[in-house]
Amino acid sequence: MSLIKSISGIRGTIGGRPGDGLSALDVVKFTAAYARFIRQGREGEVVKPKIVVGRDARLSGKMVESLVCGTLTAMGMDVVKIGLATTPTTEIAVTGEKADGGIIITASHNPRQWNALKLLNRNGEFLNDAEGKEVLRIAEAEDFSFAEVDELGRVMKNDTWNEKHIDAVLGLKLVDVEAIRKAGFRVAVDAVNSVGGIVIPQLLRALGVEEVIELNCEPNGKFAHTPEPIPENLGQIASLMKEGRADVGFVVDPDVDRLAIVMENGEMFVEEYTLVAVADYVLSNTPGASVSNLSSSRALRDVAAKHGCKYAAAAVGEVNVVTKMKEVGAVIGGEGNGGVIYPELHYGRDALVGVALFLTLLAKSGKKVSELKKDYPAYAIAKHKVELTPGLDVDKLLNQVKEIYASEEVTDIDGVKIDFPDSWVHLRKSNTEPIIRIYSEAHSGAEADALAVKVKGAVLKAAGK
Ligand code: MG
């Protein structure tokens, strides 16, 4: 059993005693705290606040949805229940419904026994650090009270948002349906039997793709493989591509905010390059700033430089990337884990936008996906960690590392990132275990590994080991 309460919501395995796993009582308590947070400062208003609720196709989705909707109405709020919906669809529905907030019931890429509540503000964006802390405080103190009988809210259904989302993507200026239609692509999709199984094939057909090969596109929550869209989980689509059956393969996670691309030869385009390719296309048409997080590939910075555009890095976490994007007026941004944020539509990672922009780029380039990949600077990321003695002052240790590399370009807005001329290394402490995660990037996997091992040695030496 696991229950993790953080500023980005509550996440846990279904079942168990209250407080041990994501039990029904925990769902109710956390939802009530969120409702109280949305209501704060608005007591006495005549109009009831309205919250959009969407869910991915997890086995526990309907059960959690009924708890969330029941709790919101018990807190005197109206609910727009949009049913099976992606995370970006729910985000768009919040502003589309002029709602006061939104809850997405999804544990993203976590396995089937998990579920979670992701909390949105009235702009359909994730709560920030301070807001998330306030929800946690209210939940902890049970600082809420339920509505009396005449004040109860009601639940309204609206299952048109998937379609509206697809229409909005088709309406984007940089999405060229005609070019995609003419290219006559054969496209394979693996949606891990979640909501992407409905929306991605639907989007592809609306984009003029006639041949769509659907893998794991039944939204029944029976995840056909571990849901995170990383190479070790994508053998099925890779072997289909190796047989030459499709020009491009798309893989999404259960809530469809991450997009991985598989090349026509069955090899990975590599998740880091989803954002890089989409940004290349966006910047070549609408030059402007771009943003990704500190742990994302440097290839984006290089592509931005090629277009004469500014690049800025943000702390890890979607909310941090979005904040930075607004600050610098970015035209494109996201995260290296296949998360594309295109503010022309909304400020949230959106695999539908990613698919449409990538297919437009591919159609206009006239290249194979593997040829397109060669246009981008080659980098590889390595992921290591250092296990430390429990109780050790990790912040102090990170400061020591910073001093060791003081002559390099050091960024400390989120752990310690050291940029070298041809590589970088990023150290972050875990909030749950006594470890430091070390991510590094260089022009080859072997060089990235060597760099991580070298820095790991420096950390251990500073820790007195
Ligand atoms: Mg996700």
Side-chain angles (χ1 to χ4, degrees):
M1 288 288 116
S2 267
L3 183 65
I4 301 158
K5 299 168 188 173
S6 76
I7 54 139
S8 55
I10 189 169
R11 183 162 55 98
T13 51
I14 292 295
R17 293 179 65 83
D20 286 347
L22 186 63
S23 75
L25 280 186
D26 292 295
V27 171
V28 169
K29 190 158 104 169
F30 207 72
T31 305
Y34 170 72
R36 162 75 209 275
F37 167 78
I38 293 290
R39 250 185 197 288
Q40 261 169 11
R42 311 177 43 170
E43 288 81 1
E45 274 183 26
V46 183
V47 180
K48 285 191 169 69
K50 188 162 75 177
I51 305 295
V52 171
V53 176
R55 64 174 172 92
D56 73 10
R58 274 165 203 279
L59 297 171
S60 60
K62 268 197 168 165
M63 180 273 286
V64 176
E65 177 189 64
S66 61
L67 290 169
V68 166
C69 293
T71 307
L72 289 171
T73 55
M75 288 293 292
M77 299 179 121
D78 287 338
V79 174
V80 182
K81 193 165 91 172
I82 65 170
L84 273 181
T86 73
T87 286
T89 307
T90 312
E91 291 169 355
I92 286 175
V94 169
T95 48
E97 294 280 351
K98 296 190 173 56
D100 301 277
I103 297 181
I104 311 161
I105 300 162
T106 173
S108 193
H109 58 274
N110 290 110
R112 64 204 284 276
Q113 66 271 31
W114 289 80
N115 213 334
L117 306 184
K118 288 186 176 179
L119 309 177
L120 302 174
N121 65 18
R122 62 189 319 145
N123 299 320
E125 295 161 16
F126 288 109
L127 299 190
N128 65 28
D129 190 75
E131 293 163 339
K133 279 187 183 136
E134 176 61 3
V135 174
L136 286 176
R137 184 200 66 77
I138 298 170
E140 201 52 45
E142 296 191 11
D143 187 10
F144 45 76
S145 60
F146 293 98
E148 290 177 21
V149 68
D150 293 324
E151 305 297 325
L152 297 176
R154 61 198 178 105
V155 177
M156 294 156 283
K157 278 189 192 169
N158 185 344
D159 57 9
T160 62
W161 279 101
N162 288 330
E163 225 164 287
K164 286 186 176 130
H165 187 183
I166 290 172
D167 287 345
V169 172
L170 294 179
L172 291 168
K173 265 203 201 96
L174 290 190
V175 172
D176 190 335
V177 178
E178 213 28 58
I180 297 171
R181 191 186 307 278
K182 274 193 194 139
F185 292 131
R186 297 165 305 155
V187 179
V189 182
D190 180 348
V192 69
N193 288 333
S194 188
V195 60
I198 309 173
V199 293
I200 300 294
Q202 213 174 318
L203 169 72
L204 289 169
R205 293 190 176 101
L207 284 169
V209 176
E210 276 177 26
E211 196 175 338
V212 180
I213 304 168
E214 300 184 16
L215 285 177
N216 309 318
C217 283
E218 281 281 325
N220 57 20
K222 293 175 186 160
F223 299 156
H225 52 77
T226 309
E228 189 164 23
I230 51 176
E232 50 265 47
N233 300 331
L234 305 181
Q236 204 183 352
I237 190 165
S239 50
L240 179 145
M241 305 290 296
K242 278 194 186 106
E243 291 165 14
R245 289 172 56 196
D247 301 302
V248 56
F250 291 120
V251 184
V252 292
D253 72 334
D255 67 323
V256 200
D257 56 0
R258 287 172 62 177
L259 172 68
I261 299 167
V262 187
M263 305 200 283
E264 79 289 345
N265 56 14
E267 287 173 25
M268 299 295 137
F269 190 67
V270 180
E271 232 185 351
E272 287 288 332
Y273 285 83
T274 303
L275 173 61
V276 174
V278 168
D280 181 35
Y281 172 60
V282 169
L283 296 179
S284 66
N285 285 278
T286 52
S290 59
V291 171
S292 64
N293 72 39
L294 285 171
S295 275
S296 303
S297 177
R298 188 184 278 181
L300 180 60
R301 192 178 95 175
D302 295 356
V303 163
K306 177 183 90 179
H307 292 289
C309 295
K310 203 181 139 195
Y311 164 83
V316 174
E318 179 167 335
V319 67
N320 299 317
V321 174
V322 165
T323 303
K324 185 54 115 182
M325 285 178 72
K326 289 178 180 173
E327 194 185 304
V328 302
V331 293
I332 185 74
E335 295 187 300
N337 58 10
V340 172
I341 303 174
Y342 187 44
E344 191 68 23
L345 187 56
H346 67 126
Y347 278 107
R349 295 184 304 177
D350 189 329
L352 284 79
V353 168
V355 165
L357 292 176
F358 184 81
L359 279 183
T360 306
L361 165 69
L362 190 64
K364 292 192 171 191
S365 75
K367 294 178 180 172
K368 289 181 181 173
V369 182
S370 60
E371 291 166 351
L372 192 67
K373 175 83 193 290
K374 290 191 188 121
D375 289 348
Y376 301 120
Y379 287 106
I381 288 184
K383 297 181 177 181
H384 290 246
K385 62 183 174 185
V386 189
E387 313 219 357
L388 303 162
T389 319
L392 192 89
D393 187 343
V394 180
D395 291 312
K396 192 175 152 201
L397 191 58
L398 285 176
N399 269 325
Q400 284 170 288
V401 174
K402 217 166 85 179
E403 275 160 33
I404 297 170
Y405 291 99
S407 60
E408 308 291 341
E409 188 187 331
V410 176
T411 314
D412 60 0
I413 54 170
D414 177 13
V416 176
K417 168 135 185 219
I418 307 149
D419 272 285
F420 303 98
D422 285 308
S423 58
W424 56 257
V425 63
H426 187 195
L427 297 89
R428 297 179 76 221
K429 70 169 178 178
S430 160
N431 288 323
T432 50
E433 310 161 80
I435 60 169
I436 292 178
R437 295 183 202 285
I438 303 182
Y439 290 7
S440 58
E441 187 183 58
H443 287 302
S444 74
E447 288 170 271
D449 274 325
L451 174 61
V453 168
K454 188 176 140 196
V455 173
K456 191 172 169 176
V459 171
L460 288 171
K461 199 175 163 199
K465 282 199 174 181

